[in-house]
């Protein structure tokens, strides 16, 4: 699955974007299948906006984003749902867990959303063990710390099949050791699927072997 | 864990549950009213036209124009024109149609044995309309004896009215039948004499009848050349209480034996009540449907954030629609089945009750009732589906 951006300019950031030099905005670029991509940028330059564009939940841009040559705007709601269940997964910066569910249910929701789950249920506990959140699985997600929520959101994103994983500052509230573990798990899961990912962050990091790094 | 089990925790359908249950009760009552109305209508038809309830297959009505004050003195106004007769024959409720031919001559009956003579009149109808079955009912030219049928009311009037009041002996039907009064028919100076023979008493036609062959001969010999238009007609109909028939008679100013058509009024009343009940059922159904779609809108609106997040995470709108419908539809089916069971119970009970009075209706509701129940459920389902689709699509 190849993602093409052509002359994408976010409408709210138009002035700013056109003045500055950017590797992404207002350019024609391709995210090739299985590429590991880092997008580095300071705050306020549109990292989250870009992830939302790539995941197609925000549309306020000029230019176009296409998936395998087909622009996002041409997909129906049911086609989009299928893509989100099978081909593109996401870790939002604001995590977006359901407060009324437990941590486990939040993960399970994503696992059973498609009729044939990618992972068996035991995999949840296994991943939670690795990331050190198995003790909070049965707690309401509203009561978790931000760092715990972040790890739950990462596990949730890994429950489904995907060819691309979009991550928006996924380790912002994790310490070095936990980040290490999470990155390792993500790398393994991506490798198992032969999938690529797009990760945004403020700074330079060595959590993954990035094939491409863009400055936003 | 199943996807729907988790959805249950996210999309709370408990919002406004009271209203939903009220609407469900409303749906139940609406279904009941509609089904009962249909079933009563069905039963009523069964009572009127069903094979088992046919005591008499057909009824005969003698019909004439109502004589009003304006008509008096102009006999032509009270006769049926050929156009009127043609129109009448074409009516769907008319199975057979005959005119009553009046004699165009004077008749005098002399009963020497009884010591009286009287002026009389003859009329004739086609044989198929006569309720008296006898071999003697025939006449051919040259035959001296003329068979006559008189209304049974005639004999009753004589026996219980005239004879009692005048100290004359009463006569049985047999005695009267054995008499052969003299009959004189005349026109001006010409006259002929015959022997009358009362061959039967009619409950159907209240006139003095002679065979049509005699009437035609006598009219040709003693009449004034051209046949008089009929002033009375007789029809055979399956259902004298058919409101269409009574309406037709009223519209054209015709009148007949009211006794026979009086059930028409009852039928109109029953049909009106049934229609009103059915109408209320439909109105109630409409309200229930309205409340259901408002309820669905409320549920979806109250979980707007959650539904949006579900869709963001990849839940297909179709999955959510199916989930929401699954929350409501089983209840509708239960309501539909309950209404059907209740109607079936009522029908069974009514059938038992009516059977005691020799009225037979099926002990199970008719196909139309089942079909209506299914139709209503399909309608409810479609309205729900539409509401769910519309509001989910708006996310």
């Amino acid at each position: 699955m190849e993602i093409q951006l052509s002359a994408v300019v976010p409408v709210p950031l138009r002035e700013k974007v056109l003045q500055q030099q950017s590797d992404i905005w207002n350019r024609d670029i391709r995210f090739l299948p299985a590429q590991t991509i880092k997008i580095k940028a300071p705050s306020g330059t549109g990292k989250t906006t870009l992830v939302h564009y790539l995941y197609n939940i925000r549309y306020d841009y000029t230019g176009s984003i296409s998936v395998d040559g087909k622009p996002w705007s041409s997909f129906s709601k049911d086609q989009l749902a299928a893509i989100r269940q099978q081909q593109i997964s996401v870790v939002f910066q604001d995590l977006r867990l359901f407060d009324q569910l437990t941590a486990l249910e939040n993960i399970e929701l994503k696992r059973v959303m498609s009729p044939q789950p990618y992972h068996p249920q035991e995999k949840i506990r296994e991943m939670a063990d690795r990331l050190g959140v198995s003790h909070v699985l049965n707690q309401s997600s509203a009561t978790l710390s931000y760092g715990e929520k972040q790890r739950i959101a990462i596990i949730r994103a890994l429950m489904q099949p995907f060819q691309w994983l979009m991550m928006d500052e996924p380790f912002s509230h994790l310490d070095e050791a936990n980040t290490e573990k999470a990155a390792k798990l993500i790398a393994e899961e991506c490798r198992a699927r032969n999938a690529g990912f797009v990760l945004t962050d403020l700074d330079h990091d060595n959590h993954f072997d990035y094939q491409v790094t863009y400055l936003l | 864990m199943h996807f729907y089990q988790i959805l249950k925790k996210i999309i709370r359908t408990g919002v406004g549950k009271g209203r939903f249950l009220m609407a469900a009760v409303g749906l139940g009552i609406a279904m009941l009213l509609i089904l009962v109305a249909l079933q009563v209508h069905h039963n009523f038809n069964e009572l009127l036209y069903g094979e088992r309830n046919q005591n008499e297959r057909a009824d005969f009505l003698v019909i004439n124009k109502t004589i009003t004050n304006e008509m008096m003195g102009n006999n032509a106004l009270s006769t049926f024109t050929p156009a009127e007769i043609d129109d009448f024959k074409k009516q769907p409720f008319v199975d057979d149609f005959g005119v009553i031919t009046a004699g165009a001559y004077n008749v005098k009956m002399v009963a020497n044995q009884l010591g009286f003579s009287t002026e009389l009149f003859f009329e004739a109808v086609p044989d198929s309309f006569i309720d008296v079955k006898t071999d003697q009912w025939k006449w051919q030219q040259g035959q001296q004896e003329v068979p006559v049928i008189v209304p049974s009311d005639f004999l009753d009037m004589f026996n219980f009215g005239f004879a009692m009041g005048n100290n004359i002996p009463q006569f049985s039907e047999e005695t009267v039948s054995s008499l052969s009064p003299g009959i004189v028919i005349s026109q001006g100076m010409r006259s002929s004499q015959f022997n009358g023979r009362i061959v039967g008493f009619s409950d159907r036609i209240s006139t003095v009848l002679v065979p049509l062959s005699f009437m035609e001969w006598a009219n040709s010999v003693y009449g004034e050349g051209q046949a008089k238009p009929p002033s009375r007609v007789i029809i055979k109909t399956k259902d004298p209480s058919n409101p269409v028939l009574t309406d037709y008679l009223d519209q054209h100013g015709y009148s007949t034996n009211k006794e026979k058509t009086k059930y028409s009024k009852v039928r109109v009343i029953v049909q009106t009540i049934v229609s009103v009940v059915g109408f209320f059922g439909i109105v109630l159904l409409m309200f229930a449907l309205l409340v259901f779609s408002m309820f669905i809108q409320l549920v979806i609106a109250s979980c707007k954030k959650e539904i949006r997040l579900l869709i963001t995470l990849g839940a297909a709108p179709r999955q959510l629609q199916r989930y929401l419908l699954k929350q409501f539809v089983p209840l509708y089916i239960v309501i539909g089945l309950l209404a059907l069971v209740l109607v079936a119970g009522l029908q069974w009970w009514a059938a038992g009750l009516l059977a005691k009075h020799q009225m037979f209706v099926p002990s199970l509701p008719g196909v139309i009732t089942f079909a209506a129940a299914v139709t209503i459920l399909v309608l409810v389902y479609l309205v729900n589906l539409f509401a769910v689709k519309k509001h989910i699509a708006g996310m």
Side-chain angles (χ1 to χ4, degrees):
Chain A
M1 190 183 207
E2 185 180 299
I3 302 173
Q4 300 104 11
L5 289 83
S6 69
V8 174
V9 175
V11 174
L13 299 172
R14 185 164 195 86
E15 300 296 314
K16 204 172 164 185
V17 161
L18 292 180
Q19 281 168 17
Q20 291 174 351
Q21 197 57 258
S22 162
D23 292 342
I24 303 267
W25 301 133
N26 209 13
R27 303 204 172 234
D28 289 350
I29 43 176
R30 289 156 176 262
F31 295 166
L32 300 174
Q35 258 184 346
T36 52
I37 298 164
K38 165 79 183 274
I39 293 170
K40 199 178 119 186
S43 302
T45 44
K47 287 193 299 296
T48 298
T49 306
L50 175 64
V51 169
H52 286 186
Y53 290 167
L54 290 175
Y55 193 64
N56 195 35
I57 53 173
R58 249 183 97 166
Y59 328 101
D60 53 342
Y61 55 87
T62 56
S64 79
I65 299 174
S66 304
V67 172
D68 286 340
K70 228 179 132 196
W72 267 139
S73 54
S74 68
F75 286 87
S76 73
K77 288 190 171 182
D78 284 315
Q79 284 171 326
L80 281 177
I83 286 177
R84 289 171 188 166
Q85 286 185 15
Q86 305 290 337
Q87 296 181 298
I88 302 180
S89 193
V90 67
V91 179
F92 290 111
Q93 190 188 36
D94 54 356
L95 307 181
R96 304 201 180 182
L97 300 176
F98 285 102
D99 282 349
Q100 59 267 63
L101 300 182
T102 65
L104 180 66
E105 285 166 344
N106 266 298
I107 301 167
E108 181 73 356
L109 174 73
K110 191 71 199 176
R111 192 181 76 85
V112 296
M113 193 173 273
S114 87
Q116 280 95 35
Y118 180 79
H119 279 311
Q121 207 188 5
E122 303 80 62
K123 196 79 183 174
I124 298 176
R125 200 155 287 279
E126 190 190 312
M127 288 185 183
D129 276 338
R130 283 181 66 177
L131 301 193
V133 286
S134 55
H135 62 290
V136 298
L137 279 182
N138 290 316
Q139 284 181 27
S140 161
S141 62
T143 65
L144 305 187
S145 75
Y146 207 90
E148 287 163 340
K149 282 188 191 177
Q150 216 156 29
R151 281 171 279 173
I152 297 298
I154 289 170
I155 297 173
R156 178 174 71 178
L158 297 178
M159 277 300 121
Q160 67 170 79
F162 57 78
Q163 292 173 35
W164 282 102
L165 178 61
M166 311 293 172
M167 293 176 283
D168 192 3
E169 299 187 42
F171 312 131
S172 60
H173 285 70
L174 300 185
D175 58 33
E176 200 54 39
N178 276 316
T179 303
E180 198 72 29
K181 290 182 203 164
K184 198 163 168 246
L185 178 65
I186 291 168
E188 276 172 27
E189 291 292 324
C190 285
R191 216 172 302 127
R193 291 168 174 82
N194 194 26
F197 66 75
V198 176
L199 185 142
T200 67
D201 208 348
L202 298 164
D203 308 307
H204 176 72
D205 71 78
N206 291 314
H207 304 315
F208 298 96
D209 299 327
Y210 299 114
Q211 292 167 356
V212 195
T213 301
Y214 292 103
L215 288 172
L216 197 61
Chain B
M1 233 176 173
H2 194 264
F3 184 49
Y4 285 174
Q5 282 174 289
I6 304 174
L7 280 188
K8 212 166 223 167
K9 292 194 170 183
I10 299 173
I11 303 174
R12 294 174 312 277
T13 50
V15 174
K17 194 124 209 167
R19 260 169 289 182
F20 179 70
L21 288 179
M22 293 276 270
V25 171
L27 173 68
I29 295 173
M31 273 192 92
L32 206 59
L33 289 181
I34 293 172
L35 297 187
V36 163
L38 277 172
Q39 189 56 43
V40 168
H41 180 78
H42 184 70
N43 287 348
F44 208 68
N45 274 345
E46 179 69 26
L47 286 176
L48 286 170
Y49 306 114
E51 294 285 324
R52 288 186 294 171
N53 295 297
Q54 289 288 8
N55 307 322
E56 199 176 325
R57 280 298 173 84
D59 227 321
F60 292 85
L61 295 177
V62 175
I63 291 158
N64 53 266
K65 292 189 170 179
T66 312
I67 306 288
T68 60
N69 283 346
E70 291 75 41
M71 284 176 164
M72 286 167 66
N74 188 352
N75 288 350
L77 287 179
S78 68
T79 58
F80 289 88
T81 65
E84 284 169 336
I85 288 174
D86 278 347
D87 184 60
F88 209 153
K89 278 182 184 168
K90 275 188 224 136
Q91 297 307 310
F93 49 80
V94 175
D95 287 344
D96 203 356
F97 184 94
V99 296
I100 298 183
T101 316
Y105 43 82
N106 301 314
V107 182
K108 193 169 184 180
M109 186 186 265
V110 185
N112 286 328
Q113 296 103 316
L114 303 179
F116 81 56
S117 70
T118 179
E119 297 276 335
L120 204 64
F121 61 92
F122 284 155
E123 290 185 295
V125 295
D127 289 354
S128 60
F129 292 96
I130 294 172
D131 54 343
V132 176
K133 299 294 167 220
T134 167
D135 298 339
Q136 296 170 280
W137 189 250
K138 52 185 176 240
W139 186 88
Q140 51 201 20
Q141 200 175 338
Q143 186 178 323
Q144 188 58 29
E145 190 174 84
V146 179
V148 178
I149 293 175
V150 298
S152 25
D153 292 344
F154 241 50
L155 189 63
D156 292 341
M157 279 157 67
F158 178 85
N159 277 341
F160 306 112
F162 186 71
M164 296 279 265
N166 294 282
N167 284 328
I168 302 174
Q170 292 170 312
F171 294 100
S172 68
E173 283 191 7
E174 290 77 32
T175 315
V176 172
S177 301
S178 68
L179 303 176
S180 60
I183 288 171
V184 180
I185 63 174
S186 61
Q187 182 67 265
M189 299 299 286
R190 299 176 297 141
S191 69
S192 298
Q193 197 154 0
F194 298 92
N195 296 325
R197 163 82 60 199
I198 294 172
V199 297
F201 299 88
S202 172
D203 289 321
R204 186 181 291 165
I205 305 167
S206 63
T207 189
V208 181
L209 289 172
V210 290
L212 200 54
S213 50
F214 177 79
M215 178 60 73
E216 279 163 359
W217 171 82
N219 272 354
S220 68
V221 174
Y222 290 95
E224 287 150 341
Q226 66 201 66
K228 277 204 310 188
S231 57
R232 296 211 287 179
V233 298
I234 182 165
I235 62 163
K236 181 179 170 188
T237 180
K238 280 201 190 63
D239 176 18
S241 64
N242 184 348
V244 180
L245 189 157
T246 34
D247 276 354
Y248 183 84
L249 298 185
D250 283 347
Q251 273 169 24
H252 292 78
Y254 300 159
S255 72
T256 186
N257 189 336
K258 290 277 190 303
E259 188 67 23
K260 290 196 172 161
T261 57
K262 75 174 178 189
Y263 288 111
S264 162
K265 221 173 206 162
V266 177
R267 274 178 69 177
V268 170
I269 291 170
V270 170
Q271 271 169 1
T272 309
I273 291 173
V274 166
S275 310
V276 167
V277 168
F279 176 74
F280 274 116
I282 288 171
V283 169
L284 200 55
L285 177 69
M286 292 298 156
F287 275 107
L289 290 177
L290 191 68
V291 177
F292 284 142
S293 41
M294 281 164 64
F295 176 74
I296 285 168
Q297 189 180 5
L298 180 72
V299 165
I300 293 175
S302 73
C303 303
K304 203 175 189 158
K305 229 181 83 201
E306 285 82 358
I307 290 173
R308 281 203 177 140
L309 180 49
L310 281 167
I311 291 175
T312 301
L313 291 176
R318 214 174 290 168
Q319 280 178 302
L320 299 178
Q321 285 165 17
R322 213 171 301 149
Y323 166 75
L324 282 169
L325 285 176
K326 226 180 143 182
Q327 305 307 304
F328 311 130
V329 170
L331 181 66
Y332 304 150
I333 293 173
V334 168
I335 290 171
L337 286 179
L338 271 181
L340 262 183
V341 166
L342 215 57
V343 170
L346 281 174
Q347 179 69 9
W348 181 80
W349 174 76
L353 210 65
L354 288 172
K356 285 184 194 148
H357 299 93
Q358 305 303 313
M359 293 192 275
F360 301 100
V361 293
S363 52
L364 277 176
V367 177
I368 184 104
T369 310
F370 286 102
V374 171
T375 309
I376 293 171
L377 286 180
V378 168
L379 182 70
V380 173
Y381 175 79
L382 287 179
V383 167
N384 276 265
L385 181 69
F386 178 75
V388 167
K389 267 197 160 159
K390 185 179 153 204
H391 295 298
I392 290 279
M395 284 290 144

